[in-house]
Amino acid sequence: MSGSGARPAAYGVMPADTTEDVRARGAGVSRQVAVLPVGSYEQHGPYLPLATDTLVACAVAREIAAAYPVHLLPPVTLACSHEHAAWPGTVSISSVTLHAVVRDIADSLRRSGVESLVVVNGHGGNYVLGNVVQEASARGERMALYPAAEDWEEARKRAGVETSLLTDMHAGEIEASLLLHAHPEFLRPGHESADFTADDRRHLLTTGMSAYTESGVIGRPSLASAEKGKGLLAALVENFEPYFRLLTSPEAPTAPRG
């Protein structure tokens, strides 16, 4: 929700707030929370765009901002995609750089009175984001990483996604469904016949994705639908509620029950 109630929190993938919207929203909550989408720029097979993970993170963050009084930030669009380096178009930054960028953003927010930051991660290879949140929490700062694997699993079941999280690794049923719902204009033909599975990926960090797939796809995108994408987002918005309670609690954060 926007601070004035007259405009949406985001247009496309970018926030549409004015400074007055931010001021008004901040005046109505006990603790201010910002939401930062973090994606990537990496291959997603021949039918999904390089910016898929950023579009997914933005879609989740945008829906959260429409349902909760949080400040929606613009996305971090380049991240840690080193495992996809064998495909043209993929661009990565180091984990050290991503760590520094997120920490700098959190520091800047606190200087302006926003104490809590939620990092909405759209790329599984951004492992360092977990460390960022752990270290911030150890310093007494309020930060969370969303969605957790448990949130994705609950959303998958509720939306009727058939592929397991293990099998649906990249450019599969979940990502194709989310784009079919949120950004169908970016999805090119071909996902209907691109299924490829490789559940045993124990050497992924050493060999990269190219050791497991020629197309860049690991999953079953043929099962994707816009209805499933809509259901995934709805479930993720609902699952965010305990995170919001945790970060806005007047006491020190403790895990919410239920």
Side-chain angles (χ1 to χ4, degrees), residues 13-15 33-39 53-54 56-62 64-65 70-79 97-107 109 114 116-123 126 129 132-133 143-147 240 247:
V13 297
M14 294 297 292
V33 178
V35 174
L36 175 68
V38 179
D53 290 343
T54 298
V56 167
C58 286
V60 175
R62 185 169 61 241
I64 288 173
V70 299
H71 303 307
L72 180 62
L73 301 176
V76 176
T77 59
L78 300 177
T97 299
L98 182 57
H99 188 297
V101 167
V102 176
R103 182 168 179 176
D104 282 356
I105 290 170
D107 289 346
L109 288 165
V114 181
S116 301
L117 175 64
V118 179
V119 180
V120 175
N121 182 33
H123 171 48
N126 290 335
L129 294 177
V132 176
V133 172
M143 191 182 295
L145 182 61
Y146 188 78
F240 182 73
L247 292 175

Side-chain angles (χ1 to χ4, degrees), residues 47-257:
Y47 53 86
L48 289 177
L50 294 160
T52 291
D53 290 343
T54 298
L55 293 170
V56 167
C58 286
V60 175
R62 185 169 61 241
E63 293 297 315
I64 288 173
Y68 299 87
V70 299
H71 303 307
L72 180 62
L73 301 176
V76 176
T77 59
L78 300 177
C80 303
S81 301
H82 312 285
E83 69 273 27
H84 299 279
W87 282 271
T90 297
V91 180
S92 291
I93 59 176
S94 72
S95 61
V96 174
T97 299
L98 182 57
H99 188 297
V101 167
V102 176
R103 182 168 179 176
D104 282 356
I105 290 170
D107 289 346
S108 177
L109 288 165
R110 284 193 301 277
R111 287 193 293 271
S112 64
V114 181
E115 298 180 38
S116 301
L117 175 64
V118 179
V119 180
V120 175
N121 182 33
H123 171 48
N126 290 335
Y127 309 113
V128 71
L129 294 177
N131 299 120
V132 176
V133 172
Q134 287 178 321
E135 293 166 16
S137 299
R139 292 191 297 269
E141 301 162 10
R142 292 181 179 238
M143 191 182 295
L145 182 61
Y146 188 78
E150 294 85 352
D151 299 304
W152 279 117
E153 179 64 15
E154 290 178 15
R156 181 189 72 81
K157 291 178 179 178
R158 288 176 53 187
V161 171
E162 299 178 44
T163 318
S164 70
L165 294 182
L166 173 65
T167 299
D168 194 59
M169 188 261 187
H170 192 70
E173 185 178 2
I174 287 177
E175 290 185 321
S177 293
L178 285 167
L179 260 69
L180 280 169
H181 169 64
H183 292 287
E185 68 276 16
F186 292 133
L187 193 72
R188 300 187 185 185
H191 72 277
E192 304 89 347
S193 58
D195 290 6
F196 182 82
T197 59
D199 285 358
D200 186 344
R201 304 182 296 270
R202 69 186 73 191
H203 303 299
L204 177 67
L205 297 181
T206 302
T207 64
M209 282 278 289
S210 61
Y212 295 96
T213 171
E214 292 184 7
S215 67
V217 176
I218 297 181
R220 300 173 66 192
S222 67
L223 300 175
S225 71
E227 182 179 2
K228 291 177 182 177
K230 181 178 181 180
L232 284 162
L233 285 179
L236 290 173
V237 168
E238 185 174 329
N239 283 0
F240 182 73
E241 197 271 338
Y243 291 81
F244 183 75
R245 283 193 285 115
L246 179 64
L247 292 175
T248 57
S249 169
E251 294 85 23
T254 56
R257 298 180 180 179

